[in-house]
């Protein structure tokens, strides 16, 4: 019995050992020392009987040599299935309605199937190419008026939608009318409402009826509003975006000059076929009925799961939370030999089928990548080290140059250090809101007694500078961003127009921190100390780390300086932040359009300025610069304005700007022509191909 | 018996209302702001977004009103028509599923049922068979082997076992991929020529006489079935073994042997039937658990069943979807318990369903 038991145990152990060994990374034996028998002919001089003479001998000896294995056959980089590109990611599209889509997954589908009037010129995020327009408007070609208030687009002829309709200027205008009138609270239309309608209080079309925002986001209230007022707003929208089918033009009459207008057009002008959209049961374009389609939410849009565009791909099917499949549009309008940009794609798409699968589990995505069943998978930052051993070449997204990795036969290619277009900041509240009794749960006692802070604690610039000097930026990048981050020294992100790389950075220096804090509040802080809460939204460990770094370093400077890191559920965090209740908050921004205005506006005069309760004189100072920047048409002039803004931002230390994350993209080496444009969230499959040999 | 079944079925709607009421009540612990998380994006650009969402979805309404609207629907002020209402067959819109909750359930249940059917085969047959063998060879090597296997089975976390077999048999060996079907076949079943009778690929492929698709679907089912069944049949093995050992020690077994009956007759006629009552209870619970969705297995092997969908809904506080799944789960457990009760009567004539 004992023997049988032992045998059983041994068998089980062996099975596990086999499994574990199977999971080990493959090891490649490169060199080996082996003994070899060598035969040599030796000629030497010997002395025999006093006489020297030359003799020749044949000797056999054993020597140890280093054997190099035969070089392996070059890795085949041919795609196993050159007609099909499979990518596995997580995050499902929210909607296919281009007027409502405001998430990266939705944009990822729409940008393959639909087309905007103009788009970015390949990797260049600052110049544009015409797509559904015949040319990009400019002052030189006269399509932008001298006062910057009128933009005219000549619409391309001979373009057909996938359902058979023909693109006409009224389709473009209808798309804009519909979007502006929908004004969905979770959609991107706020980006258009300010330049086209001049609405910047509610960022909602109902601002034209109730400037106090009482109707914003409330479809029931809008449907019950005065019909004349409703019709009047609709007519204003139609007067702002005017189609002329005979002339083949669409004219935009702006409420104010708008520097980022073309950048917004490149990102948010995907065009619907009016007749098709109406046939689905959507708005018919009549000003008497638009209120019935106001702020529908993705679930109530009749085209939330349908899409009909002019683009190079057709949506074959979308199974929510599982996959969507795109097939090449055989009737795509762009002729062979008419490249989208210099050296770009033309004609029908090279990849026949694109499959985008939604798989939340990283292990499953990784297994598919290893098995070669996916051309590309989304790799979380913390798993880069797991994938890196499989990388055969490392590529630079700016130059497209690739160099072999330490494992040149590795099956994967990595595009490393792709800068993201998002960033977290630390926000100081200049005047925390309190209730009638002066209480606020986040400021403790509300006094400088060591158990709290006064409501205007951060209005003292020495406090803000002290906190900025107590933050260890390198540790943050190393620990929270796994070493992949680039610091920003102002509200604008690196490499964007208006970012001054030579501008000053906040330096991590505990002596400076101690010195600044000792000057604050008439020098009482070292004795009284303070206790303040740093809030972040629960689950965001990066933002949690920010609070913990401050907590650690400030207590190191003086044990009386206490920071408590508090995680709040996202909506609670948002509501408290909006209500100006958080004394210290860590939050972030993802750009909508690749333009400096999309950064300076929210950080210095818009969203965050309000939540920080910035004083009027500071707001006014920033507002002058932000307005000058957005109105200036000349890039050089804009750049100087933003340089100045960046300096004021540093001098006043209203926030601590942290760092942009750098990401990697891993793909099979048979993938060709992928490219990265800063600010582009999804691959553009039309430009890509798969190697056949 | 019939009256008993009818009585049990009549209790079903009351239990369903109780379960959903309980969930609704528990969710009220979270305020409207927290419950708006499902609708509000990180970094919303409109300051009015949060209030608008709360108003729009009635998250600030009293708890009983929200429940009533969910149960019977509400009247649209514009059209005067009643919209929604579970009693009208509308479970609402699933934000996480991006479709009506009913559609999510319809789409997800077949995968879970298919997985459960295939998993039950090894669970029942291997589990019970090994349990009987172990008991009949008490303290001999088959018994020791069964005990080791059982201990390994229920002490091995699913996610470790699942990921391990995935890495070995898919990433390394390329034998058994995850998902439902290979790429070429997954597009094939969407074509008009392929009729989806049951939405269960392995069964539909047989009904369509597409044996290539059938084999491919089996290839995809092997790892999740092994992962699921290994853990479950270990439990069934243990219960069967204990139950058999207990039955073997009973006086009537000694009497049967004393009467000179062969060991085969003693086991088959007198021991096994009596030992299967607790096994039926465990098997019933296992079936219900499998049909209720197995989150980790479905997630690891990328199978679109209801377990992973329910987990996603719960994580996003998707109330309507959670309620839909709660209804399904409650109904399922009641029905499975009913079947188990009926089986008791079949297995043991002493048990009477009065």
């Amino acid at each position: 019995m004992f023997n049988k038991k032992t045998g059983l145990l041994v068998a089980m152990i062996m099975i596990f050992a086999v499994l574990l060994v199977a999971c080990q990374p493959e090891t490649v034996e490169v060199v080996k020392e082996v003994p070899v028998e060598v035969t040599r002919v030796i000629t030497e001089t010997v002395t025999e009987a006093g006489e020297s003479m030359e003799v020749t001998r044949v000797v056999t000896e054993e020597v140890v040599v280093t054997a190099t294995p035969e070089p392996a056959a070059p890795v085949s980089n041919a795609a196993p299935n050159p007609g099909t590109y499979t990518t596995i990611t997580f995050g499902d599209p929210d909607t296919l309605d281009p007027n409502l889509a405001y998430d990266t997954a939705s944009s990822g589908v729409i940008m393959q199937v639909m087309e905007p009037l103009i788009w970015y010129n390949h990797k260049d995020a600052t110049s544009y190419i015409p797509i559904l327009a015949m040319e990009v408007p400019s002052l030189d070609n006269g399509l932008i008026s001298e006062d910057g208030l009128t933009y005219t687009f000549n619409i391309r002829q001979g373009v057909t939608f996938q359902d058979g309709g023909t693109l006409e200027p009224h389709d473009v205008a209808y798309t804009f009318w519909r979007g502006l009138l929908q004004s969905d609270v979770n959609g991107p239309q706020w980006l258009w409402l300010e330049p086209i309608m001049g609405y910047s209080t509610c960022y909602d079309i109902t601002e034209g009826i109730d400037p106090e925002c009482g109707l914003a986001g409330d479809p029931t209230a809008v449907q019950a509003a005065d019909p004349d007022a409703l019709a009047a707003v609709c007519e204003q929208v139609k007067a702002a975006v005017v189609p002329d089918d005979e002339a083949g033009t669409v004219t935009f009459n702006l409420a104010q000059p708008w520097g980022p207008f073309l950048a917004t057009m490149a990102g948010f002008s995907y065009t619907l076929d009016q007749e098709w959209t109406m046939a689905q049961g959507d708005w018919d374009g009549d000003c008497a009925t638009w209120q019935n389609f106001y702020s529908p939410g993705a679930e109530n849009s009749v085209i939330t799961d349908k899409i009909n565009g002019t683009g190079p791909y057709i949506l074959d099917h979308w199974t929510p939370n599982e996959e969507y499949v795109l097939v090449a549009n055989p009737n795509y309008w762009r002729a062979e030999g008419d490249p989208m940009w210099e050296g770009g794609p033309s004609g029908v798409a090279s990849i026949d089928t694109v499959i985008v699968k939604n798989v939340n589990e990283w292990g499953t995505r990784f297994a598919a990548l290893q098995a070669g069943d996916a051309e590309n998978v989304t790799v979380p930052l913390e798993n880069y080290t797991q994938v890196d051993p499989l990388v055969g070449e490392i590529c630079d997204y700016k130059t497209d140059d690739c160099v072999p990795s330490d494992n040149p036969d590795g099956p994967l290619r990595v595009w490393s250090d792709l800068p993201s277009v998002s960033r977290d900041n630390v926000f100081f509240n200049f005047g925390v809101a309190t209730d009638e009794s002066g209480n606020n749960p986040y400021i403790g006692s509300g006094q400088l007694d060591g158990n709290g802070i006064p409501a205007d604690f951060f209005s003292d610039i020495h406090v803000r500078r002290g906190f900025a000097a107590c933050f260890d930026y390198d540790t943050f990048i190393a620990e929270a961003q796994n070493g992949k981050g680039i610091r920003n020294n102002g509200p604008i992100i690196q490499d964007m127009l208006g970012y001054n790389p030579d501008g000053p950075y906040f330096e991590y220096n505990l002596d400076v921190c101690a010195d600044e804090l000792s000057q604050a509040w008439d020098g009482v802080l070292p004795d009284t100390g303070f206790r303040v809460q740093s809030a972040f939204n629960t689950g965001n460990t990066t933002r949690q780390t920010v609070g913990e770094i401050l907590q650690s370093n400030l207590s190191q400077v003086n044990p009386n300086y206490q920071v408590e890191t508090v995680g709040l559920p996202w909506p609670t965090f948002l509501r408290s932040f909006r209500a100006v209740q958080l004394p210290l908050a860590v939050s972030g921004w993802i750009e909508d359009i690749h333009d400096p205005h999309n950064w300076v506006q929210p950080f210095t005069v818009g969203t965050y300025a309000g939540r920080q309760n910035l004083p009027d004189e500071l707001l006014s100072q920033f507002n002058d610069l932000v307005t000058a920047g957005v109105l200036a048409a000349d890039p050089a002039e804009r750049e100087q304005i933003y340089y100045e803004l960046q300096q004021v931002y540093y001098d006043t230390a209203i926030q601590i700007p942290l760092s942009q994350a750098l990401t990697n993209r891993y793909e099979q080496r048979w993938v060709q022509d992928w490219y990265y444009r800063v600010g582009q969230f999804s691959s553009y499959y039309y430009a890509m191909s798969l190697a056949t040999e | 018996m019939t009256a008993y079944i009818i009585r049990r079925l009549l209790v079903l709607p009351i239990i369903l209302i109780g379960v959903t009421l309980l969930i609704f009540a528990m969710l009220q612990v979270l305020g409207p702001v927290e419950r708006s998380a499902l609708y509000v994006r990180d970094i919303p650009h409109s300051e009015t977004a949060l209030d608008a969402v709360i108003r729009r979805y009635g998250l600030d309404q009293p708890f009983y009103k929200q429940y009533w609207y969910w149960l019977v629907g509400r009247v649209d002020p514009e059209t005067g028509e009643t919209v929604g209402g579970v009693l009208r067959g509308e479970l609402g819109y699933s934000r996480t599923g991006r479709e009506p909750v009913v559609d999510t359930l319809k789409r997800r249940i077949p995968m879970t049922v298919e997985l459960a059917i295939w998993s039950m085969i090894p669970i029942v047959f291997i589990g019970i068979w090994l349990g009987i063998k172990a008991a009949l060879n008490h303290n001999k090597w088959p018994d020791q082997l069964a005990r080791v296997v059982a201990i390994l089975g229920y002490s091995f976390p699913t996610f470790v076992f699942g990921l391990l077999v995935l890495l070995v048999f898919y990433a390394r060996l390329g034998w058994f991929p995850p998902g439902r079907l290979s790429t070429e076949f997954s597009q094939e079943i969407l074509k008009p020529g392929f009729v989806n009778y049951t939405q269960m690929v392995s069964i539909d492929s047989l009904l369509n006489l597409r044996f290539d698709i059938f084999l491919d679907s089996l290839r995809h089912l092997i790892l999740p079935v092994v992962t699921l069944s290994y853990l479950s049949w270990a439990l069934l093995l243990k219960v069967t073994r204990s139950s058999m050992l207990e039955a073997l020690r009973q006086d009537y077994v000694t009497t049967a042997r004393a009467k000179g009956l062969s060991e085969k007759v003693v086991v088959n006629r007198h021991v096994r039937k009596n030992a299967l009552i607790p096994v039926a209870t465990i098997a019933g619970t296992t079936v219900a658990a499998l049909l209720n969705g197995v989150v980790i297995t479905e997630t690891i092997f990328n199978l679109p069943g209801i377990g992973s969908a329910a987990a996603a809904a719960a994580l996003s506080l998707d109330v309507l979807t959670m309620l839909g799944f709660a209804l399904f789960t409650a109904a399922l457990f009641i029905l499975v318990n009913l079947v188990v009760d009926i089986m008791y009567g079949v297995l043991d004539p002493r048990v009477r369903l009065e």
Side-chain angles (χ1 to χ4, degrees), chain B residues 167-188:
Chain B
L167 286 174
V168 173
F169 294 104
Y170 172 50
R172 185 54 60 98
L173 300 172
W175 293 348
F176 306 118
R180 293 188 93 173
L181 283 175
S182 304
T183 302
E184 63 269 30
F185 293 125
S186 62
Q187 308 312 312
E188 191 91 352

Side-chain angles (χ1 to χ4, degrees), chain B residues 252-314:
Chain B
Y252 60 81
V253 175
T254 313
T255 309
R257 282 178 177 148
K259 279 164 63 183
L261 293 177
S262 71
E263 190 63 18
K264 194 174 172 186
V265 173
V266 171
V267 170
N268 287 348
R269 205 176 284 170
H270 298 284
V271 179
R272 197 160 60 185
K273 218 170 175 185
N274 285 299
L276 282 182
I277 291 177
V279 176
T281 310
I282 298 291
T285 316
T286 307
V287 171
L290 289 176
L291 288 174
N292 194 28
V294 271
V295 178
I296 294 173
T297 308
E298 286 178 1
T299 305
I300 290 174
F301 295 102
N302 192 29
L303 297 171
I306 57 174
S308 49

Side-chain angles (χ1 to χ4, degrees), chain A residues 575-693:
Chain A
R575 170 152 279 190
S576 306
F577 200 10
R578 277 180 51 198
V580 200
Q581 291 173 340
L582 302 178
L584 195 62
V586 188
S587 188
W589 185 258
I590 302 172
E591 72 174 22
D592 301 288
I593 51 172
H594 198 66
D595 187 275
H597 181 73
N598 197 244
W599 287 93
V600 295
Q601 197 277 345
F603 279 94
T604 60
V605 296
T607 306
Y608 290 117
R611 292 172 189 178
Q612 288 182 258
N613 213 354
L614 289 190
D616 288 344
E617 67 271 21
L618 264 178
L619 266 181
S620 162
Q621 198 176 357
F622 281 119
N623 199 43
D624 290 347
L625 291 164
V626 170
T627 307
V630 78
L631 295 181
D634 178 16
E637 188 189 346
R638 285 187 88 191
E639 185 172 71
Q640 285 310 312
I641 294 166
Y642 292 133
Y643 277 15
E644 191 183 335
L645 186 146
Q646 185 172 313
Q647 185 63 49
V648 175
Y649 183 89
Y650 174 80
D651 292 341
T652 54
I654 59 169
Q655 296 151 8
I656 306 177
L658 302 177
S659 38
Q660 290 166 257
L662 297 172
T663 60
N664 284 359
R665 171 191 158 90
Y666 296 88
E667 64 184 16
Q668 303 287 354
R669 288 172 73 176
W670 59 71
V671 175
Q672 294 178 327
D673 301 323
W674 180 83
Y675 72 93
Y676 180 69
R677 188 196 69 242
V678 177
Q680 182 170 313
F681 295 103
S682 302
S683 301
Y684 187 52
Y685 303 114
Y686 182 50
M688 295 164 65
S689 59
L690 300 172
T692 51
E693 56 185 31

Side-chain angles (χ1 to χ4, degrees), chain A residues 308-384:
Chain A
N308 172 32
T310 57
Y313 281 97
I314 299 171
L315 180 71
D316 182 78
H317 69 268
W318 172 33
T319 310
N321 284 313
E322 288 179 38
E323 66 172 19
Y324 65 83
V325 174
L326 305 164
V327 292
N329 178 2
N331 303 314
Y332 185 46
W333 58 269
R334 187 178 292 281
E336 200 70 52
D338 169 25
M340 198 165 180
W341 53 76
E342 197 180 329
S346 65
V348 174
S350 161
I351 299 173
D352 301 331
T353 307
V354 175
I355 300 170
V356 181
K357 291 187 179 177
N358 187 22
V359 176
N360 288 325
E361 170 57 35
W362 156 245
T364 315
R365 296 200 302 272
F366 185 41
L369 190 68
Q370 286 177 288
D373 282 351
E375 270 61 36
N376 148 258
V377 304
T378 303
V379 183
L381 183 65
E382 60 272 22
N383 297 109
Y384 286 177

Side-chain angles (χ1 to χ4, degrees), chain B residues 48-339:
Chain B
T48 56
L50 198 60
D51 296 331
V53 159
I54 290 171
R55 271 202 311 271
R56 177 194 195 100
Y57 294 98
L59 302 177
D60 51 352
Q61 298 279 317
F63 142 72
Y64 62 87
K65 266 194 182 173
Q66 290 185 50
Y67 185 74
W68 185 250
Y69 290 150
W70 176 76
L71 198 63
V72 302
R74 62 193 302 178
V75 178
D76 187 305
E78 276 301 298
T79 61
E81 291 174 6
T82 305
V83 291
V86 176
L87 297 180
R88 301 174 64 253
E90 291 182 29
L91 296 180
Y93 186 83
S94 166
R95 289 286 300 186
T96 47
R98 273 115 182 153
E99 61 190 347
V101 175
V102 174
D103 291 350
T104 300
L105 284 171
K106 273 191 211 159
R107 200 161 52 76
R108 296 274 183 161
I109 287 172
M111 180 71 250
T112 299
V113 172
E114 186 177 17
L115 188 58
I117 290 172
W118 284 104
S119 300
M120 281 313 289
I121 296 171
I123 287 173
V124 171
F125 288 98
I126 299 180
I128 294 177
W129 180 78
L130 269 184
I132 293 171
K133 285 282 167 208
L136 294 178
N137 294 280
H138 188 47
N139 283 339
K140 294 180 188 163
W141 76 264
D143 187 27
Q144 304 291 359
L145 176 67
R147 279 159 67 178
V148 170
V149 169
I151 289 168
L152 281 174
Y154 54 74
S155 60
F156 215 146
T158 320
F159 67 93
V160 176
F161 186 77
L163 279 174
L164 194 66
V165 294
L166 188 76
L167 286 174
V168 173
F169 294 104
Y170 172 50
R172 185 54 60 98
L173 300 172
W175 293 348
F176 306 118
R180 293 188 93 173
L181 283 175
S182 304
T183 302
E184 63 269 30
F185 293 125
S186 62
Q187 308 312 312
E188 191 91 352
I189 62 166
L190 297 170
K191 290 180 181 166
F194 190 92
V195 185
N196 288 292
Y197 299 101
T198 64
Q199 306 293 329
M200 290 184 257
V201 180
S202 55
I203 294 168
D204 287 341
S205 55
L206 284 177
L207 296 174
N208 282 273
L209 300 178
R210 288 296 305 269
F211 298 106
D212 50 348
I213 298 180
F214 173 72
L215 290 176
D216 190 62
S217 79
L218 282 192
R219 213 174 133 227
H220 285 76
L221 277 168
I222 282 176
L223 291 187
V225 163
V226 166
T227 304
L228 262 187
S229 56
Y230 174 60
L231 304 175
S232 299
W233 64 246
L235 178 65
L236 212 60
L237 182 160
K238 195 172 157 55
V239 172
T240 309
R241 178 183 173 275
S242 319
S243 177
M244 283 286 289
L245 283 176
E246 199 180 326
L248 282 165
R249 290 190 200 107
Q250 297 300 314
D251 291 345
Y252 60 81
V253 175
T254 313
T255 309
R257 282 178 177 148
K259 279 164 63 183
L261 293 177
S262 71
E263 190 63 18
K264 194 174 172 186
V265 173
V266 171
V267 170
N268 287 348
R269 205 176 284 170
H270 298 284
V271 179
R272 197 160 60 185
K273 218 170 175 185
N274 285 299
L276 282 182
I277 291 177
V279 176
T281 310
I282 298 291
T285 316
T286 307
V287 171
L290 289 176
L291 288 174
N292 194 28
V294 271
V295 178
I296 294 173
T297 308
E298 286 178 1
T299 305
I300 290 174
F301 295 102
N302 192 29
L303 297 171
I306 57 174
S308 49
L315 287 172
S316 306
L317 287 179
D318 185 352
V319 177
L320 296 180
T321 312
M322 284 161 67
L323 288 169
F325 286 121
L327 277 177
F328 173 76
T329 306
L332 185 73
F333 269 88
I334 291 165
L335 292 174
V336 167
N337 276 329
L338 181 60
V339 171

